[in-house]
Amino acid sequence: MKNNFFDEFSDSKKTRDLTQKIKQTAKDFKEEIFLMEVCGTHTVAIFKSGIKSILPDNIRLLSGPGCPVCVTPNPYLDRAIALSRSDDIIITTFGDMMRVPGSSSSLEKEKTKGKDIRMVYSTSDALRIARDNPDKNVVFLGVGFETTSPTVAFALKEAKSRKINNFSVLSAHKLIPPALRLLAQSPDLKVNGFICPGHVSTIIGTKPYKFLADQYHIPCVISGFEPVDLFQSLFLLLTQIKNGTAKVENQYFRAVKDEGNPNALRLIDEIFQTTDSLWRGIGIIPQSGLVIKEEYQEFDAEKKIPVLVEKNREPKGCLCGLVIQGKKSPMDCPYYAKQCTPQSPIGPCMVSSEGSCQAFFKYGQMNARVQGQGARDQGQGSRVKGPGSRVKKTRNREVNKNNG
Amino acid sequence: MCLGVPVKVIQREGNEGIGEFKGVKRNINFALLDEVKVGEYVILHAGFAIQRLDQDDAEKTLELFEELAKANDEE
């Protein structure tokens, strides 16, 4: 493999040519076209690439519920916090969850009060902590989509086979396809095409999106995360829309196989079963969550360790729930960039580095295009230098072409 | 949270191994992905190799991209 191989995927010279073609295609659309990604890593990658600012005005990118931290509801966090207050419990968690506010506290606040809460990089680390602390209950916070749940399933299987009986998981795992179905059915949301999540798809493959094309006639493209990937995927989606076709295309075929990862899928099936699940701001989505099967219930923290959980209180006025569904822009929220900033977040969309609000806060100035269907007219005047000048250049080229 | 990074497998013993990308080394658990050999690239997520990263397919992606861009010029 060439040394500069991976760099080629982020080569701006390459993407410039396709920008022109995207613009040409966009001219054919009489109305606004809404394309939605449902992956926090895409949210950030799209912002970082500056794509939003160089897209034609009638092509709009929305962020869907692709940030697991953002869709994890308060009662889950409140339970984790309640567990952390017990002296014989060590909470282990991915770092993303630390600062997410529950009803009255957060894991980070509890940690500063001396509670034993440890950030881990992998479920293997959590298992190790359990092995090293046999007199404590070690609870891992199982949050994440299909990419993450097999790694948690593996830890549960290991715990059982190695009899690490002081290990358990508090599962809030969620599934992407049921959320996509809900969005496709939503009467007040227009999505012309889905940019499907790359790493979720490495596990689930290409087939679980087929219903979107077949039943709802919504084009889908599974995309990688580099600028080359994103531009190519956008172009493929727009081409489908232009041609009136709806199919599932796999732009990220270097990592996504049609069948996904059969080992990982088997493991998920072995340990978890699907259940109706509560998504923050959205409500209950049928069969969209994973709970630990009965055979493994001695490793299910929810069943194993009863605890009194405080009454749920949501932050009043926080629009996170609507932002997650692409129905509102972060800028529509009265708290955005005022009381709610990455330093002192009110809602989870501002806490998570993958949340729409934080991505918007960090990179929005560069892009200055508003997500969310409720706020089309805001923020469009503030395009900035770099990408803007490129836009101008491309426009001139277009004019020349038309004249010629 | 579904962040995945490409790494080149430089060492493997059973389900454990080490991957490297741009000088950064990371531990890899291969429990979710059989038959990965040293020298191959994988996507690493939360310590686990979740999928093989096919080098030929990566080349193909770049070629397809060039084709799309070129088609634009010829229009």
Side-chain angles (χ1 to χ4, degrees):
Chain A
M1 190 180 278
K2 293 178 210 164
N3 271 345
N4 61 350
F5 193 84
F6 289 97
D7 298 337
E8 282 191 53
F9 279 93
S10 51
D11 185 348
S12 63
K13 277 186 215 140
K14 281 185 190 296
T15 53
R16 212 169 295 159
D17 293 336
L18 209 59
T19 308
Q20 169 74 357
K21 194 158 185 193
I22 287 171
K23 281 167 171 285
Q24 291 281 3
T25 311
K27 277 188 194 165
D28 296 338
F29 299 123
K30 301 278 177 287
E31 44 187 49
E32 287 190 302
I33 298 295
F34 293 94
L35 308 177
M36 178 180 268
E37 46 77 11
V38 280
C39 166
T41 316
H42 275 152
T43 308
V44 174
I46 284 170
F47 269 110
K48 279 188 176 168
S49 71
I51 288 177
K52 284 183 187 235
S53 63
I54 49 183
L55 279 181
D57 286 345
N58 60 336
I59 308 298
R60 311 190 50 90
L61 296 181
L62 306 174
S63 280
C67 157
V69 170
C70 304
V71 299
T72 301
N74 256 0
Y76 176 87
L77 272 153
D78 292 340
R79 180 174 290 272
I81 288 162
L83 286 170
S84 78
R85 288 172 178 159
S86 169
D87 286 340
D88 69 340
I89 289 177
I90 299 173
I91 300 284
T92 52
T93 176
F94 293 133
D96 317 42
M97 293 299 290
M98 289 298 286
R99 298 182 62 216
V100 185
S103 293
S104 65
S105 184
S106 70
L107 293 166
E108 188 181 53
K109 281 184 192 159
E110 296 301 314
K111 190 174 165 69
T112 57
K113 287 183 205 158
K115 305 302 172 207
D116 198 343
I117 300 166
R118 305 185 192 183
M119 276 190 276
V120 292
Y121 168 64
S122 160
T123 52
S124 308
D125 300 337
L127 273 180
R128 201 169 305 125
I129 291 169
R131 253 194 336 248
D132 294 346
N133 295 275
D135 54 332
K136 301 263 186 177
N137 266 312
V138 174
V139 178
F140 178 75
L141 303 184
V143 172
F145 296 131
E146 291 92 332
T147 325
T148 312
S149 48
T151 74
V152 177
F154 172 77
L156 285 164
K157 199 175 171 173
E158 281 282 289
K160 188 163 185 164
S161 71
R162 296 186 183 204
K163 298 192 171 59
I164 308 175
N165 296 328
N166 61 327
F167 177 79
S168 60
V169 169
L170 189 62
S171 175
H173 288 293
K174 299 215 183 313
L175 304 171
I176 282 289
L180 292 175
R181 184 182 292 278
L182 184 96
L183 293 167
Q185 290 171 339
S186 181
D188 53 347
L189 182 74
K190 184 185 162 199
V191 178
N192 301 92
F194 280 115
I195 302 164
C196 297
H199 290 141
V200 163
S201 306
T202 63
I203 304 295
I204 68 173
T206 60
K207 289 171 197 139
Y209 305 108
K210 212 168 164 288
F211 74 94
L212 290 164
D214 293 350
Q215 291 174 32
Y216 300 97
H217 203 74
I218 302 177
C220 296
V221 174
I222 297 165
S223 177
F225 300 91
E226 300 300 329
V228 158
D229 297 320
L230 293 167
F231 274 81
Q232 194 172 358
S233 298
L234 286 180
F235 180 69
L236 292 172
L237 267 183
L238 292 176
T239 306
Q240 279 201 52
I241 296 165
K242 184 177 150 189
N243 297 337
T245 54
K247 54 186 174 181
V248 180
E249 289 183 279
N250 181 7
Q251 183 279 333
Y252 197 35
F253 60 92
R254 64 184 185 276
V256 172
K257 314 298 162 206
D258 278 346
E259 69 279 13
N261 179 335
N263 280 355
L265 288 171
R266 250 194 319 270
L267 203 54
I268 294 175
D269 260 0
E270 190 183 331
I271 311 292
F272 293 109
Q273 66 191 51
T274 56
T275 182
D276 296 350
S277 183
L278 179 64
W279 295 52
R280 186 191 286 261
I282 297 177
I284 289 173
I285 304 181
Q287 298 302 303
S288 67
L290 293 176
V291 286
I292 297 166
K293 279 187 176 169
E294 224 172 273
E295 297 95 287
Y296 282 84
Q297 66 175 342
E298 71 262 41
F299 299 96
D300 184 343
E302 197 168 341
K303 291 191 178 134
K304 183 179 169 183
I305 315 169
V307 71
L308 202 63
V309 181
E310 69 186 293
K311 195 166 173 280
N312 180 22
R313 276 177 301 160
E314 299 282 346
K316 268 190 197 146
C318 167
L319 293 188
C320 198
L322 291 167
V323 170
I324 283 168
Q325 298 175 77
K327 291 177 179 174
K328 288 284 179 192
S329 152
M331 285 169 75
D332 292 332
C333 181
Y335 298 135
Y336 174 77
K338 296 186 184 91
Q339 294 98 321
C340 186
T341 64
Q343 285 72 40
S344 62
I346 292 175
C349 296
M350 187 60 95
V351 177
S352 170
S353 58
E354 293 185 345
S356 291
C357 293
Q358 191 180 123
F360 205 90
F361 190 91
K362 275 189 184 162
Y363 311 109
Q365 303 265 303
M366 261 164 58
N367 289 271
R369 290 287 302 276
V370 183
Q371 317 149 288
Q373 298 192 342
R376 298 180 191 180
D377 300 319
Q378 294 178 41
Q380 303 230 352
S382 49
R383 289 191 175 186
V384 278
K385 295 166 202 165
S389 52
R390 202 183 298 159
V391 169
K392 226 179 252 169
K393 233 185 260 169
T394 326
R395 274 194 187 137
N396 289 341
R397 243 189 282 157
E398 269 171 28
V399 169
N400 291 341
K401 254 187 196 159
N402 290 342
N403 289 344
Chain B
M1 186 177 260
C2 294
L3 196 66
V5 291
V7 294
K8 187 179 186 175
V9 179
I10 56 171
Q11 196 180 314
R12 174 168 183 174
E13 274 170 46
N15 267 353
E16 305 284 313
I18 295 171
E20 190 248 314
F21 186 64
K22 291 191 173 174
V24 181
K25 286 185 182 159
R26 295 167 188 265
N27 292 326
I28 308 177
N29 186 314
F30 290 99
L32 304 176
L33 202 63
D34 300 334
E35 294 169 9
V36 180
K37 295 186 199 84
V38 170
E40 288 186 305
Y41 279 81
V42 294
I43 303 273
L44 186 68
H45 168 73
F48 286 77
I50 55 167
Q51 195 52 271
R52 214 180 245 109
L53 191 63
D54 192 297
Q55 300 174 38
D56 293 337
D57 285 345
E59 293 272 12
K60 251 182 247 166
T61 307
L62 290 170
E63 279 166 24
L64 281 173
F65 190 91
E66 294 292 340
E67 272 172 36
L68 287 180
K70 221 189 260 170
N72 181 45
D73 291 342
E74 285 162 5
E75 260 177 20

